Each structure stands twice: as structure tokens, then as C-alpha cells.
Amino acid sequence: MMKLLKARLVPGAGALFLAGSGLFSVCAHHLAAQDLESAQLLHPPADSWPLYHGDYSGERHSHLTQIGPANVGDLGLSWAFQTHQMADIKSTPLLVDGVLYFTAPDNVWAVDALSGHMIWHYYRKSTKGLHIGHRGVAMYKGWLYFTTPDCHLIALNAKDGTVYWDKVFADVDRGYWSTLAPLVVGDHVIVGVSGDFDNLPGYLRSLNAETGETQWQWDSTPPAGTPGSTTGGMTWMTGTYDPSLNLVYWGTGNPTPVLNGRPRPGDDRYTCSIVALNPDTGKLAWAFQPSPHDTHDWDAVETPVLVDGEFHGSPRKMLLQASRNGYFFVLDRVTGKDLLTTTFGPVNWSLGVDAQGEPIPNPAKEPAPDGRLIAPDEGGLTNYRAPSFDPKTGLFIVDAHPSYSIYFAKPADGAYGWAGADYGLWGKGVIEAIDYQTGKIRWRHEVGAGGSGAGVLTTDSGLTFTGDSTGNVLALDTETGKTLWHAGTGSPIGASPICYELDGREYIVVGSGTDLFAWALPIQNR
């Protein structure tokens, strides 16, 4: 068997592997191609997952139906890949031409999607920047684009992991760092930055996919020291894209100083905002602010999910977001106009919403020396884990975290960086299904104390895949939230599942701890 595994590394060679529940062949073209054109990004086939969210919409919904409620209980482990790293997998794998590409800080792996066998591994040690996690890569033509904790964007040859070019897009010595998966739109590779510990301006930057040269930069806040303004607005999660409108949608992070709002009065635009940008120029089309004058570290970087359909009887191009601050928004993504604003869990920090649908902060709930009880906590009612939208049911399904915390202002911390403190009191994990027409919760499925950390995937067959707080991968009935199947992984799940079909077989893949797992039906049950 080892000879067969070694033969798999030879380009153009075919091989047989025993993985999971059956013997199957690996087609040579899976390794030979590794090429991704714009048409495949616009219309991904079933045998691919070519973007961070699967497609540009951010729905994270699969049209595959081989695995359904009637047979999901027969799922078995097909293969598992061990990274042998200290860092947990938080990335979403890409799948192109039968190869999975996924990451941890400083690392990229290419793994055969049928066997789980490693094809190549890229490692670049960085001693600077925060190694808190990594979300994944982007791909265009034969190149992979990978950000490093010290703010390099590196283009790798997808066939062998060799470096094509290496560009710096932020200064790590000023306090910037990066964890995101870039977004490719045409010949633009769009990257964002992180950096909450210093008073730094956030921005998005577009680099040319072929050369790595900067094309444009959009600044979410002015330079540090600009009178009457704030810094912050970091852009540390991957956005979405509407090809028909030619607009990129991105969430921005909190203002700085983080928990001290006195030095930065007003709404602090464009922090904690959803922005629509032209990907060719970086010009702002519109902005909506889920958390005006944020003083609780509630980034609005959660996935801006793009949905086409009717809203209250009229056809709309919509943008849906479950925000970290506890609010759920439905926007018209052409204009940025608010269609619906509501909460999806305990929220006590606002006075309601204004005429634009943006929450109104309650000054009495700003951090204070004697403490303030706040819901949700600093981690938010949701966070970076990706939600999913099921078009059949109209349900927006999200990993939620009902919680309470005590926030303190500490005058000694001044007006720089964190500038305060918060202490979590209580929280739990709940998968929530939100009806986007009304904002009402259709069902809740508890996943354990503290929270789960897993993202969500839905399928046309009526399944919702996610995880719980004890490391179980779950398959739920999308209509009801009932558990139909689970499998223990032995580690916390901090990633989002993906789904694909190869050689007539459907796979569910998710990272858990430092391992990547793939499940499929036994061959005789397909």
C-alpha cells in the first residue's frame, strides 16, 4: 500500500487507495490540472469549493443531495489528516481539481480530497504578528494566495507549493497582523488587516493577481491623530461579492481605543460597519453601521450573506448579517437601505434603533470604573464562524452565543489600545434558525456550555452540518433542528464544514483541533 501512496505524488499517475468504507480509484486529472478561471468562481461546479464561502454569495449552501435525512445516519469516516501542529484548524478548505488546500498560521497544505494523502506542505516561519488562527487561502488560475501573521501576501504555485511572489501589505512593526483568507475578484486579490492593540487605521487593499502590485486601498478610518476622529475599523474577515452589481461587501471592526469611547465621540464611521465597494477602484458605494460608537469590541466583520428573493412580497437583492452585537439585519444590497433590524438573543446595551435601522447605543451601558452588566459578552452573540442560508426554507442558520459580561473602564489605561477590561459571567452555545422575512427564531438547538465555535453548512437535501462544544460534528434537520447524526472528533471545532462530490461520492469535510476529517456514505449505500 505504501508504494501506491508514493505513486500518487507523480503528476499524471493514477492509483488505488483504501479509505474509509471502500476501495476506489483516484483520477489522474485531479492532480494534473489545478487551474481556476473566473468562470468557475462565478459558477462553481459540484466537484469544487473554490472560494472561502464556497461561492461569492456567502450562503455556504450546497446543492448536493446524495446525503439526506434518510441515510445520514450511515455516514462513516472516509479519512483523517493530521497536521502535527500546535495551532488548531480554523480555516475553510478550498477544493479545486480534486485537491483540498487549507491552512494554519505559517502553513499551507495540499491534500488529495479522495484519500486524505498529503501532496505538498508549505511552511514559512514568522516570529512577528499574532498567531491567533488562520482562515484559509484564495485561488486564481494556478496560484494560491496566502496571508501570513506578519502581513505578507504570498502567491504559491498550486501544483507544488513553490513561491511565485511575496508582497508586504501592512507593517507588522506598527502593530498590524493578518489571519484572513483573501477574496479574488477578477484580477484583484483583496486582503484585510488586523490590529486591535494599537491605535491604527484599518483598510482593505487590492493587489494584482499576476504581479502582486497594489491596485487600490480603501481606508476605513483616517490616519492616527486626525482631530475629532477614531482609528480602528480592521477588516480581518473575508467578504462577499455580487457580480451583477460589481460590488464587494465587507465588514469592518471596532474603533480604538477599544473600550474607551470618550476620546472618539460620535458614531465613529466607518468602524463596525458593512461597506459596499467597487472592486475595480475601491470606491465606496454605501455603508451601514451595525454598532455606532462601539465600546464593547463588537466587530461587524461577520459574513455579509447575499440572498436574492422576495421580501414582504417584493423582489429584492438582499444582504443578511447576524452581527456580533446581537442584532440581525436585512439590507437592500443595491442601496444599503435597512429592511429589517431585530435581535436574535439577549441584548441590553441599546435604546432601540433609529430611522435608518441602526442601533442606538445607551450611554449608561458604556464601560465604567464600577462595572456594567452587558449582554452579549465581548465574544458577541456570534463571531467569525460562518453562518449558512437555506433557500428552500428561508432560514438563516447561525452559531449563536447568548451571554453576559461585566465591562470596566480603567482610567489608568488611558486612550490607547484596549483601554479597559471585560469579564465573562455566563454563556452557552445555541444553533439558531432565523426566518429572514420576520427575524423570528424558527428553532434553537443547544450545543453546550460556553459555546461551540463551529460554523454552519446547509444542503439541498434538508441537512444542516455544524458542531457542538464537546467536539461532535452534527447533522441537524434544517426544518426542525433535530439531531439526525453526530460523530465525535476528540477536539474543539473552530472551523466551518464544506461539502463536495468527487467520482460520484459526496463528502462532508470539517477541521477539528489540529486534524481534518472527511465523512461519506458507504459505497453500497450511495
Side-chain angles (χ1 to χ4, degrees), residues 174 176 193 195-203 219-235 252-261 263-265 267-272 289 293-294 299 415-419:
R174 291 183 61 197
Y176 287 106
V193 290
D196 273 358
F197 309 121
D198 302 274
N199 289 7
L200 297 168
Y203 58 85
D219 298 317
S220 51
T221 54
T226 302
S229 68
T230 185
T231 48
M234 297 300 163
T235 50
T252 68
N254 54 273
T256 50
V258 182
L259 304 185
N260 182 1
R264 45 176 178 83
D267 287 345
D268 302 320
R269 301 264 176 183
Y270 294 98
T271 66
C272 292
Q289 194 167 31
H293 189 68
D294 172 68
D299 304 301
Y416 196 85
W418 199 251

Side-chain angles (χ1 to χ4, degrees), residues 70-422:
N71 61 14
V72 68
D74 296 328
L75 278 183
L77 185 65
S78 181
W79 54 260
F81 180 86
Q82 297 176 309
T83 64
H84 301 291
Q85 300 289 317
M86 294 296 291
D88 287 349
I89 297 171
K90 295 183 179 179
S91 68
T92 295
L94 298 192
L95 173 70
V96 179
D97 293 325
V99 179
L100 288 165
Y101 304 99
F102 67 100
T103 66
D106 299 327
N107 292 269
V108 184
W109 289 270
V111 170
D112 187 288
L114 289 176
S115 67
H117 180 64
M118 188 174 76
I119 299 167
W120 55 257
H121 174 211
Y122 171 79
Y123 173 69
R124 174 191 175 278
K125 184 178 181 180
S126 62
T127 57
K128 297 180 179 181
L130 188 61
H131 290 60
I132 193 172
H134 200 274
R135 319 301 169 189
V137 293
M139 187 173 181
Y140 179 61
K141 295 185 176 179
W143 310 111
L144 296 173
Y145 302 95
F146 171 62
T147 63
T148 66
D150 56 356
C151 301
H152 288 241
L153 178 64
I154 300 175
L156 302 175
N157 187 320
K159 291 184 178 181
D160 56 19
T162 54
V163 176
Y164 178 42
W165 50 252
D166 181 339
K167 301 290 184 179
V168 176
F169 62 92
D171 187 349
V172 68
D173 291 325
R174 291 183 61 197
Y176 287 106
W177 39 283
S178 184
T179 65
L180 91 167
L183 180 67
V184 170
V185 176
D187 68 349
H188 311 291
V189 184
I190 304 172
V191 294
V193 290
S194 302
D196 273 358
F197 309 121
D198 302 274
N199 289 7
L200 297 168
Y203 58 85
L204 283 175
R205 183 175 293 181
S206 175
L207 292 83
N208 183 277
E210 295 287 348
T211 67
E213 297 304 313
T214 295
Q215 297 167 321
W216 54 259
Q217 179 171 308
W218 176 80
D219 298 317
S220 51
T221 54
T226 302
S229 68
T230 185
T231 48
M234 297 300 163
T235 50
W236 58 276
M237 286 298 296
T238 309
T240 51
Y241 172 60
D242 183 339
S244 65
L245 299 175
N246 195 34
L247 289 177
V248 166
Y249 302 91
W250 217 281
T252 68
N254 54 273
T256 50
V258 182
L259 304 185
N260 182 1
R262 291 185 178 181
R264 45 176 178 83
D267 287 345
D268 302 320
R269 301 264 176 183
Y270 294 98
T271 66
C272 292
S273 295
I274 301 166
V275 298
L277 304 174
N278 183 308
D280 299 318
T281 64
K283 183 178 179 180
L284 179 71
W286 57 258
F288 178 88
Q289 194 167 31
S291 288
H293 189 68
D294 172 68
T295 55
H296 303 98
D297 189 34
W298 289 327
D299 304 301
V301 300
E302 293 71 43
T303 308
V305 179
L306 311 185
V307 173
D308 293 340
E310 287 197 355
F311 185 80
H312 296 181
S314 299
R316 293 277 192 175
K317 287 181 171 292
M318 292 166 284
L319 182 152
L320 281 55
Q321 188 193 62
S323 201
R324 187 165 165 176
N325 66 9
Y327 277 90
F328 174 71
F329 303 96
V330 180
L331 309 179
D332 183 315
R333 71 175 184 269
V334 180
T335 64
K337 176 182 171 58
D338 177 72
L339 302 176
L340 175 70
T341 297
T342 188
T343 58
F344 62 103
V347 170
N348 73 353
W349 60 272
S350 78
L351 297 172
V353 299
D354 63 17
Q356 286 72 47
E358 296 179 351
I360 304 169
N362 183 351
K365 287 297 185 178
E366 291 201 15
D370 57 346
R372 292 293 182 268
L373 178 66
I374 304 295
D377 67 9
E378 183 266 328
L381 197 51
T382 189
N383 206 293
Y384 72 86
R385 299 95 179 172
S388 181
F389 178 77
D390 179 66
K392 182 179 178 181
T393 61
L395 293 178
F396 182 99
I397 302 177
V398 62
D399 170 30
H401 179 63
S403 52
Y404 288 85
S405 181
I406 295 181
Y407 278 80
F408 292 92
K410 296 186 175 182
D413 289 342
Y416 196 85
W418 199 251
D422 65 280

